[in-house]
Amino acid sequence: MQNFRLSRRWVASSRRWQSSTTYNRPPLTDTNRTEATLKRFWKTVSVGKRDDSYTVMLDDRPLRTPSGNVLVLPPGKALVANLIAVEWESQETVIKHHALPMTSLVSRAIDSMADKSTRAEVRQALLQYLDTDTICFYEDYPPQLVELQARHWDPILAWARSTFNIELQAFNSVLFGSQPNETKSKMDHVLSSLNHWEMAAMERATYATKSFLIGLALVQKHLSVEQASLAAQVEVASQIQRWGEVEDTHDVDFHDIRRQLGSAACLLSSVTMHETRTSP
């Protein structure tokens, strides 16, 4: 049953990814150039100013998103600008795209989430996760898993129910799980109230955890990155307790989900320039 659940979620995620992928040739920007060459072509990285906003400069040229938009961050996103600059400064001879999570997330917010129609499509895709939400499907064995589910999932469900006045069903089988339409309608209203930065963070957190509710709790700052990561990895943690850690598998997953959720949490932060530095 567990394998069926994971397979079903993987297929659903794959279809959502395919439906949101475009095959038009993108403009030539620095971010696209890195994918083509996989080599560092810049010497210096810095954070620049555009009026009250921030940009990241590669050799005195503003960094652009894959769609060709200048990567501009509002006054409260000084920390995000510095994190992006650090990502690019940390790239050495060969580009590691997995080490650019902040850049890719901000680009997603600028290129896609600022568009109302795209945000509507993303909103509907995210709502589908309510019916297959990881933390709504409980197992009754082994005891380690049961304990971890109660510790990490029960508080999130209780928070969501009380905060948004919604009904959330918990299931023990993926075959018959579906949340009430009224719950979905209320959650759609919540998503509609998010700005494009919050929507980008919500999308990443939901896809990374396979949980709408964990993603929402992170975006609403009810959960820390560590708490969200632990909730998303309950089944893995149970396996490690029983059988031990698999090197180069469990540890890689451990760091990857924290990198994804960390970038989402940082995007939501608001820090003024005097509270952070202006260059990596």
Side-chain angles (χ1 to χ4, degrees), residues 42-116:
W42 63 94
K43 293 182 179 180
T44 62
V45 184
S46 61
V47 174
K49 292 292 294 288
R50 280 196 169 197
D51 299 324
D52 292 331
S53 300
Y54 304 104
T55 60
V56 177
M57 313 294 289
L58 303 184
D59 293 337
D60 299 322
R61 298 193 313 273
L63 183 65
R64 292 179 179 270
T65 68
S67 293
N69 297 304
V70 175
L71 197 150
V72 178
L73 291 152
K77 302 295 182 187
L79 173 62
V80 177
N82 278 274
L83 289 174
I84 292 174
V86 169
E87 286 182 349
W88 287 80
E89 183 59 44
S90 299
Q91 302 292 313
E92 298 179 350
T93 303
V94 179
I95 307 302
K96 299 180 178 65
H97 287 284
H98 69 271
L100 296 170
M102 204 75 251
T103 303
S104 64
L105 184 57
V106 170
S107 295
R108 175 67 170 162
I110 293 173
D111 286 347
S112 301
M113 298 305 178
D115 178 71
K116 290 185 178 180

Side-chain angles (χ1 to χ4, degrees), residues 54 76 78-79 82 270-277:
Y54 304 104
L79 173 62
N82 278 274
S270 295
V271 181
T272 57
M273 181 55 85
H274 75 271
E275 294 176 284
T276 187
R277 53 198 175 98

Side-chain angles (χ1 to χ4, degrees), residues 222-242:
H222 173 69
L223 291 181
S224 67
V225 171
E226 183 64 15
Q227 290 171 326
S229 300
L230 291 173
Q233 295 183 300
V234 158
E235 294 183 27
V236 174
S238 172
Q239 293 170 7
I240 293 174
Q241 286 185 14
R242 296 182 69 195

Side-chain angles (χ1 to χ4, degrees), residues 7-22:
S7 175
R8 178 183 173 186
R9 288 176 184 151
W10 182 88
V11 170
S13 298
S14 176
R15 288 175 178 171
R16 294 187 189 101
W17 179 86
Q18 291 173 5
S19 67
S20 63
T21 302
T22 58

Side-chain angles (χ1 to χ4, degrees), residues 65-239:
T65 68
S67 293
N69 297 304
V70 175
L71 197 150
V72 178
L73 291 152
K77 302 295 182 187
L79 173 62
V80 177
N82 278 274
L83 289 174
I84 292 174
V86 169
E87 286 182 349
W88 287 80
E89 183 59 44
S90 299
Q91 302 292 313
E92 298 179 350
T93 303
V94 179
I95 307 302
K96 299 180 178 65
H97 287 284
H98 69 271
L100 296 170
M102 204 75 251
T103 303
S104 64
L105 184 57
V106 170
S107 295
R108 175 67 170 162
I110 293 173
D111 286 347
S112 301
M113 298 305 178
D115 178 71
K116 290 185 178 180
S117 62
T118 300
R119 283 170 63 181
E121 293 175 2
V122 172
R123 194 168 70 246
Q124 293 306 309
L126 293 178
L127 286 171
Q128 293 181 38
Y129 273 85
L130 275 173
D131 286 336
T132 58
D133 198 299
T134 298
I135 71 169
C136 291
F137 292 87
Y138 284 68
E139 301 285 350
D140 57 9
Y141 182 85
Q144 297 94 327
L145 178 56
V146 173
E147 190 276 329
L148 288 170
Q149 289 171 164
R151 185 196 310 173
H152 296 292
W153 293 357
D154 287 1
I156 301 175
L157 292 173
W159 166 79
R161 288 169 178 142
S162 63
T163 301
F164 303 105
N165 190 26
I166 56 175
E167 178 184 356
L168 286 171
Q169 300 288 339
F171 310 98
N172 55 21
S173 170
V174 297
L175 296 179
F176 308 105
S178 180
Q179 299 298 343
N181 289 331
E182 184 179 358
T183 296
K184 296 175 184 177
S185 179
K186 288 184 177 181
M187 290 296 92
D188 186 28
H189 180 72
V190 171
L191 291 182
S192 298
S193 69
L194 302 181
N195 61 40
H196 63 293
W197 305 111
E198 293 168 331
M199 276 296 292
M202 179 67 187
E203 181 186 49
R204 171 160 293 184
T206 300
Y207 287 2
T209 62
K210 304 299 184 293
S211 169
F212 179 96
L213 296 171
I214 294 176
L216 184 62
L218 182 76
V219 170
Q220 296 289 319
K221 300 183 180 180
H222 173 69
L223 291 181
S224 67
V225 171
E226 183 64 15
Q227 290 171 326
S229 300
L230 291 173
Q233 295 183 300
V234 158
E235 294 183 27
V236 174
S238 172
Q239 293 170 7

Side-chain angles (χ1 to χ4, degrees), residues 233 236 240 244-259:
Q233 295 183 300
V236 174
I240 293 174
E245 184 177 75
V246 178
E247 189 175 356
D248 294 331
T249 300
H250 290 145
D251 54 340
V252 172
D253 292 342
F254 176 89
H255 292 293
D256 181 64
I257 195 166
R258 282 160 177 76
R259 178 169 55 247

